Amino acid sequence: MYADIIVDLSVKSIDRPYTYRIPEDLESRVTAGTPVTVPFGKGGRVIKGFVIGVHDKASISDDRIKDIVQVCAKSNEIEEKMLMLAAWMKEQFGSTMNEAIKCCLPVKDKVENKSVSTISSAVSKEELQKAFEEAVAKKRTARARLYEALIGKGEIGRTYALKELKVTAAILRDEEEKGMIRVTTVDEIRGPYKDITERDLPPQLTPGQKEITESIKRDLYEGIRSDYLIFGETGSGKTEIYMDIISECIASGKQAIMLIPEISLTYQTVSRFIRRFGARVSIMNSRLSQGERFDQYMRAKNGEADIMIGPRSALFAPFERLGLIVIDEEHENSYRSESSPAYHAREVALKRASIEGASVILGSATPSLESYSMAKAGRLKLFKLVGRTGNAVHPDVCLVDMREELKKKNRTMFSYALREQIEDRLARKEQIMLFLNRRGYSTSVSCRECGSVIKCPHCDVTMTLHRDGRMICHYCGYSTARPTVCPTCGSRYIGTFGAGTQRIEEELAKVWPQARILRMDSDSVRRKGSMDECLKTFERGEADILLGTQMIVKGHDFPNVTLVGILLADLSLYSPDFRSGERTFELIAQASGRAGRGTKKGMVVIQTYDPDNYAVISAAKRDYEGFFEEEMAYRIAMGYPPAGIMLAINMSSETEDVLEGFAGRFAKEVEMLFDDVTRFKVIGPAKAPLYKIKDVYHMVIYVKSCDGKGLRAMGDVLRQKAVACSCEGVKVEYCFNN
Ligand code: ADP
Ligand code: ZN
Ligand code: ZN
């Protein structure tokens, strides 16, 4: 018998299966998905690999085939279904098969079981009491302590006996042999949240929720496999819908995956699921130890859990009877993988579900353009969930034109309107959240008088200011000197936005010395311990103002917050990314959602230099549809996803001129390959948005096309070409639509 094996080396040139002979004694143990060790290369170094297929004939002559060394005992195997998914991911996202396999196997190595031993008495109460008295009399103090503890507690942990009672292992062994005590050892399942024992009953669903759950459940009963998008603002009751359908799903003997962005995987969120579903839930997140991850993963694999909750990687939970994948907050950027295979969880979920006959539910308050256009095209069934549960009301929204503030000689970060509101809340002892969008901060140049931003004339994206004072477009490489006057209105007030959270904190303290200010950004969180801690302080009312970046807008509920200030709403418009409008809309919508979560009416002040921008206006009006129409028109006009498909060829090297030389040569090859200009547009090479990271230089070539199949089909040819013109030390990676 022979096996096709993908060896564990992430080198593009060897990205193909190699044939090995299966020694007779291993035949029963080697199937598709088995991890094995094999000799590889000229030196015959033994490395790991995964079997992707087994057959009884080999296509090359027998004397050239080597034997599999061993089944790799310390590695997990990968399910055959997941191999299919990996094969698809390799094609779809242009990675190697090895990278795809590793991605589909989120817990690779086995971790030894953790066992716990408990000690109980093996004799009657009277005998134990007698033994205790004897031990005291004979001054056998360690034994006396042991008996005393057993009399008092009935049962004690072995670790407790050793560490706290200071009874030696030898004594315990002796006592066990004498038949005084009994030691029982069981494997402990490692994982968080074991302390949650209370259980919630599902609430009575509102008519709006019911309509959705019943429609989806009807499909499930009738065996109609379908995918859904639930569009409803934060707090509208989507999670209750997910839980209702998940419970239906597991009742019918299937299993479910619940994806939640890492940042929202808080104690509060996860415990809600555990209180509903108890021990049937398995958890994954980045804070778990290796042992915890392994145990949680194995519970899913062994069928001891029916629900896997986690971030992106939970998508690859090894369920055998998958019935449902839910992706909450599907618009979140953290669902996008940055490393190869550069996939988006949404795409992989839809594929995995279709392979395994499961359904996908996407949920969002601000659906991605991808999902909403799929819904409009009928690929997803769309449900809208309107209104909030409870009696909270929408906040008032006030849009402030910061150019007017400048005319009124106000050069601070706080408009007069915002100042007034802050005064008012401080006086009323209500809480305030101030939000600074840091994306693109201080790398773009804009005019404070007319609000225009320096954009690339060829790409319609914001140009980035570099240290040497030149402006560069990271899409096409176009560059120009930094202007000293605004090209639109001639004003001299042109420059970068340069206010970080720290400076704003200082300014706040100057204007309102009495206010208690809490700053939350990646620096302060690292310094003061956890983010949860900071949020709890605010929740307890120990601060008046919470100032922060992105991280404070996510889903936290503070009923006493009645004012949200977005200090610069349009900063994300200026980041060099075709999705910046979408991000701006999303951030304003979410930040606004933080105001007035309680019964008091809230207010949102949005400060902007660009009050005419459609993303800002439609977000202020809560007009998603309007935003979608405009944004989609822009994407169509520019051929950006989801209207077209975009391939990014990322090239990196430690040597700048080697990289430049390669990028130039390779771009020519790419141009030749995609010479059909009616279908493909090759852009670049250009420096990547992050040109130099840790002494490695990055350049990028983009290929835009409306013909996704045609573009992806070129993947293999492209890889060969890259190998052909490659030189030492240049790494090439492919990435679709990121
Ligand atoms: P979303 O997931 O859309 O943010 P949730 O499902 O978390 O919304 O609901 C917001 C709040 O309203 C939660 O505290 C939830 O327990 C409560 N809630 C949702 N639906 C109901 C219902 N039908 N009856 C009572 N409370 C509900
Ligand atoms: Zn201007
Ligand atoms: Zn450009």
Side-chain angles (χ1 to χ4, degrees), residues 203-206 209 233-240 272 389:
Q204 183 74 36
L205 294 184
T206 63
Q209 288 171 320
E233 63 190 283
T234 311
S236 60
K238 296 186 295 299
T239 307
E240 290 300 336
R272 228 173 125 185
T389 51

Side-chain angles (χ1 to χ4, degrees), residues 78-150:
I78 180 167
E79 286 72 22
E80 211 168 340
K81 273 186 295 201
M82 295 307 267
L83 275 179
M84 281 171 65
L85 187 65
W88 175 82
M89 285 177 76
K90 165 195 146 65
E91 292 303 322
Q92 189 76 0
F93 305 109
S95 73
T96 65
M97 186 62 184
N98 183 44
E99 287 166 333
I101 288 176
K102 280 162 86 171
C103 174
C104 290
L105 189 65
V107 176
K108 287 159 200 75
D109 293 330
K110 291 183 180 162
V111 182
E112 274 198 18
N113 284 351
K114 183 180 171 195
S115 52
V116 280
S117 303
T118 39
I119 299 171
S120 55
S121 162
V123 297
S124 72
K125 258 194 169 146
E126 294 72 32
E127 279 176 83
L128 190 62
Q129 184 64 31
K130 223 175 91 201
F132 169 63
E133 284 158 16
E134 244 179 64
V136 172
K138 289 184 181 163
K139 297 219 165 31
R140 303 172 92 173
T141 54
R143 284 171 216 257
R145 286 197 299 275
L146 176 65
Y147 298 145
E148 190 182 17
L150 285 173

Side-chain angles (χ1 to χ4, degrees), residues 206-222:
T206 63
Q209 288 171 320
K210 246 202 179 119
E211 214 183 297
I212 299 173
T213 57
E214 275 170 8
S215 174
I216 296 178
K217 286 196 274 191
R218 204 170 321 123
D219 284 355
L220 291 178
Y221 294 139
E222 291 172 8

